[in-house]
């Protein structure tokens, strides 16, 4: 007797075959797509080695259906080849963009954090750099380290690992990434009985920094009328966070190393060492390895701190969280933010390099708090919409690019022009979108998107 397989069995067999060929195709990384706009469509889709078709009604079993009217029934395709996911458009009605640039049937490689636009739907491609990062530990306070991106999940996992150690730690990250909050969560998870003390090495007095850290005896120097215990004694049994530790004077670094290695400090004006039980967590936005090579930081101190080194990813590596963070921040000021964004405005926010990181998000909220919905790109501050070199997508590996089927698909697309240039070209071509598209060698839809992006009003049109 021959049994007939149910449709569910067909899907199971297909997934099984997919798993069997995964190793053959070189699939080793954990990748996913995050639908981030419109907010009501937000969802996460794990990617494997099987090809995926995106669209309004893509064919099963490997179709990703997105219920949005701007999508074609079969809109775009994702394929995995030679260790990379590749995206191509399937002659969709409203087009496919990667990093703000229109693409066609020629596949384009997807890097971590790549921003994809299909119709008026925005997605972010993510790759887990560390497989351990996909296990999000519940012990870490999500209010202290918010976000759902893979980079943030990996960060929370790393924070827990560092907190469970007894050695000193080093938190490295760009300015505005929240290093102090990370250090505070390390202290909380370490369950040390003492206080958390935070000191900014760049803000401490250059002439008194040794006294401020290690304390001093009465009469140790002019003005020392009383004995002072110092920050190390204040952090007894707890954690001392030395923010901007790269600013610590070179001559003071041996004494900090002794305090870390032997648990001893010598107050200024004293000859007697005092025992302390303090865990030191350094934080810096500097590359201490380069500082060591330049002779501005001691190699032995760096080696001691780097036993537990934790890197905080910049905002551009966690773009999947951007719009939700803005939603929460703006909600505290004037209501829901993400739902009030036009697609082009949301795309501009996702593509920004965010050199100020979280401080930049707060700045954007303050700049936009009085705007009415829907917010369009032309209403966003110029510091956000002006392209920077770091906004550009990395070029795909030359050896992995599929051969172009036609010459028209290999032409080098120009980046989005500045507003003044686009206005000039439109005026020179009598405000004709067709002629402007021919000038830029771009599709008319792309010219229309640029016009919408800059909120340009065409003469004779409402």
């Amino acid at each position: 007797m021959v049994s007939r397989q149910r449709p569910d069995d067909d899907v199971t067999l297909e997934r099984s075959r997919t798993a069997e060929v995964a190793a053959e195709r070189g699939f080793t990384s954990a990748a996913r797509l995050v639908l981030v706009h419109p907010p009501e469509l937000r969802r996460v889709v794990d990617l494997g080695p099987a090809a995926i078709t995106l669209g309004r009604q893509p064919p099963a079993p490997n179709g990703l259906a997105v219920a949005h009217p701007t999508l074609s029934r079969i809109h775009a395709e994702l394929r995995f080849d030679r260790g990379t996911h590749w995206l191509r458009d399937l002659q969709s009605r409203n087009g496919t963009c990667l990093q703000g640039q229109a693409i066609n049937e020629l596949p384009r490689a997807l890097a971590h954090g790549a921003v994809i636009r299909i119709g008026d739907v925005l997605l972010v491609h993510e790759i887990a750099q560390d497989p351990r990062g996909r296990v999000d530990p519940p012990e870490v306070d999500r209010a202290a380290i918010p976000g759902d991106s893979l980079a943030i999940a990996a960060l929370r996992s790393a924070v827990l690992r560092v907190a469970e150690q007894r050695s000193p730690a080093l938190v490295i990250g760009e300015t505005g990434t929240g290093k102090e909050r990370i250090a505070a969560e390390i202290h909380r998870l370490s369950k040390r009985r003492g206080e958390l003390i935070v000191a900014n090495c760049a803000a401490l007095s250059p002439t008194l920094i040794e006294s401020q850290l290690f304390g001093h005896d009465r009469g140790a120097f002019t003005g020392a009328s009383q004995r002072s215990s110092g920050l190390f004694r204040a952090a007894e049994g707890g954690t001392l966070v030395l923010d901007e530790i790269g600013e610590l004077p070179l001559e003071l670094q041996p004494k900090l190393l002794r305090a870390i290695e032997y648990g001893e400090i010598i107050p200024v004006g004293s000859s007697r060492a005092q025992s302390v039980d303090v865990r030191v967590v350094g934080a810096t936005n500097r590359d201490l390895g380069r500082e060591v090579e330049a002779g501005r930081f001691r190699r032995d101190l760096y080696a001691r701190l780097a036993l537990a080194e934790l890197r905080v990813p910049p905002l551009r590596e966690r773009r999947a969280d951007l719009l939700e963070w803005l939603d929460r921040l703006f909600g505290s000021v004037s209501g829901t933010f993400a739902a009030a964004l036009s697609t082009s405005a949301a795309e501009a926010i996702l593509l920004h390099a965010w050199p100020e990181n979280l401080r930049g998000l707060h700045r954007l909220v303050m700049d936009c708090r009085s705007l009415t919905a829907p917010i369009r790109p032309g209403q966003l501050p110029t510091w956000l919409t002006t392209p920077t070199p770091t906004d550009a997508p990395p070029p795909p590996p030359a050896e992995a690019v599929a051969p172009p089927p036609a010459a028209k698909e290999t032409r080098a697309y120009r980046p989005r022009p500045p507003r003044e240039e686009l206005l000039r070209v439109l005026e020179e071509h009598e405000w004709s979108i067709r002629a402007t598209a021919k000038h830029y060698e771009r599709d008319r839809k792309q010219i229309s998107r640029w016009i919408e992006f800059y909120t340009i009003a065409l003469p004779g049109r409402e």
Side-chain angles (χ1 to χ4, degrees):
M1 179 178 179
V2 178
S3 63
R4 178 171 295 182
Q5 292 177 332
R6 300 187 307 273
D8 288 348
D9 294 332
D10 294 335
V11 174
T12 301
L13 286 174
E14 177 64 26
R15 290 174 177 169
S16 177
R17 285 192 293 268
T18 296
E20 290 174 2
V21 301
E24 297 177 9
R25 297 189 183 181
F27 185 78
T28 57
S29 64
R32 68 183 194 178
L33 285 178
V34 184
L35 280 74
V36 295
H37 186 86
E40 64 270 14
L41 295 181
R42 184 175 176 89
R43 60 191 283 202
V44 176
V45 180
D46 289 323
L47 299 178
I52 292 180
T53 304
L54 296 84
R56 202 174 62 256
Q57 294 178 328
N62 293 318
L64 173 57
V66 181
H68 198 276
T70 62
L71 268 63
S72 298
R73 188 178 67 85
I74 300 175
H75 198 107
E77 181 188 57
L78 273 175
R79 284 188 176 272
F80 183 79
D81 185 38
R82 284 166 275 187
T84 303
H85 279 100
W86 299 77
L87 173 71
R88 70 186 183 103
D89 184 70
L90 298 178
Q91 298 183 339
S92 63
R93 183 178 71 256
N94 289 321
T96 300
C97 293
L98 176 62
Q99 294 297 104
Q101 301 295 315
I103 66 172
N104 46 35
E105 290 89 348
L106 181 64
R108 301 295 178 91
L110 296 182
H112 174 73
V115 178
I116 301 167
R117 176 171 177 168
I118 51 175
D120 283 341
V121 175
L122 298 174
L123 309 94
V124 175
H125 177 257
E126 292 191 311
I127 302 173
Q129 307 300 319
D130 184 347
R132 294 175 296 180
R134 292 184 67 91
V135 180
D136 201 342
E139 298 92 335
V140 181
D141 184 5
R142 292 178 65 90
I145 310 177
D148 297 305
S149 63
L150 289 178
I152 284 296
L155 176 61
R156 284 193 287 258
S157 180
V159 165
L160 181 61
R161 293 197 302 271
V162 170
E164 291 173 342
Q165 302 176 29
R166 297 175 57 87
S167 63
L170 183 62
V171 181
I172 299 175
E174 296 178 5
T175 181
T177 51
K179 297 186 292 295
E180 187 175 320
R181 296 181 70 178
I182 301 297
E185 185 63 5
I186 290 173
H187 169 72
R188 186 188 71 83
L189 292 168
S190 71
K191 296 182 173 59
R192 292 183 63 84
R193 58 180 174 80
E195 296 290 327
L196 171 70
I197 303 295
V198 180
N200 188 325
C201 295
L204 295 177
S205 168
T207 57
L208 298 175
I209 187 170
E210 182 178 358
S211 167
Q212 290 169 314
L213 287 177
F214 306 120
H216 63 259
D217 283 350
R218 181 179 178 182
F221 49 85
T222 303
S225 58
Q226 299 182 43
R227 182 178 177 275
S228 173
S229 57
L231 293 173
F232 262 88
R233 297 295 297 179
E236 175 65 29
T239 304
L240 176 61
V241 178
L242 296 178
D243 197 11
E244 305 297 346
I245 196 172
E247 305 284 344
L248 196 68
L250 192 62
E251 61 273 14
L252 195 59
Q253 293 177 22
K255 297 182 179 180
L256 175 60
L257 180 62
R258 180 179 181 84
I260 292 173
E261 287 193 328
Y262 300 105
E264 291 181 349
I265 61 171
I266 301 177
V268 177
S270 173
S271 59
R272 181 177 299 178
Q274 299 179 8
S275 297
V276 289
D277 174 20
V278 175
R279 185 183 189 185
V280 173
V281 175
T284 183
N285 59 7
R286 292 190 178 189
D287 183 340
L288 291 189
R290 291 185 178 180
E291 295 295 297
V292 168
E293 297 303 323
R296 293 188 291 266
F297 203 85
R298 288 182 63 97
R299 188 179 300 274
D300 48 5
L301 177 58
Y302 173 54
R304 195 74 177 90
L305 290 168
L307 288 175
E309 186 171 304
L310 192 154
R311 177 181 175 272
V312 183
L315 216 57
R316 60 185 172 274
E317 293 182 14
R318 23 177 169 151
R319 285 190 166 103
D321 289 326
L322 268 172
L323 299 184
E324 282 200 333
W325 286 343
L326 277 176
D327 193 14
R328 288 193 294 268
L329 288 173
F330 206 87
S332 64
V333 177
S334 60
T336 302
F337 183 70
L341 289 170
S342 70
T343 303
S344 294
E347 184 180 29
I349 290 170
L350 290 172
L351 291 174
H352 186 60
W354 296 105
E356 296 177 340
N357 292 290
L358 296 173
R359 294 186 184 126
L361 284 182
H362 287 274
R363 180 185 176 192
L364 176 61
V365 169
M366 298 308 295
D367 286 349
C368 296
R369 65 186 184 278
S370 60
L371 298 179
T372 57
I375 297 174
R376 300 190 177 277
Q379 298 173 284
L380 295 173
T382 55
W383 60 263
L384 188 140
T385 56
T386 303
T388 63
T390 52
D391 290 335
E399 69 277 8
V401 177
K408 65 172 184 169
E409 296 180 339
T410 62
R411 64 174 181 263
Y413 285 110
R414 301 182 187 180
R416 184 177 65 239
R419 189 177 194 274
E420 294 73 15
E421 177 188 327
L422 181 59
L423 280 169
R424 177 179 55 78
V425 173
L426 282 166
E427 187 175 3
E428 289 175 355
H429 292 86
E430 299 180 346
W431 305 97
S432 168
I433 293 179
R434 181 188 295 273
T436 303
K438 185 176 181 180
H439 172 85
Y440 282 110
E441 296 183 318
R442 302 299 295 270
D443 189 274
R444 281 177 290 172
K445 295 175 183 175
Q446 184 60 60
I447 303 302
S448 296
R449 290 193 184 100
W450 288 348
I451 292 172
E452 178 193 1
F453 184 90
Y454 290 124
T455 59
I456 296 173
L458 299 181
R461 303 187 187 183
E462 292 295 333

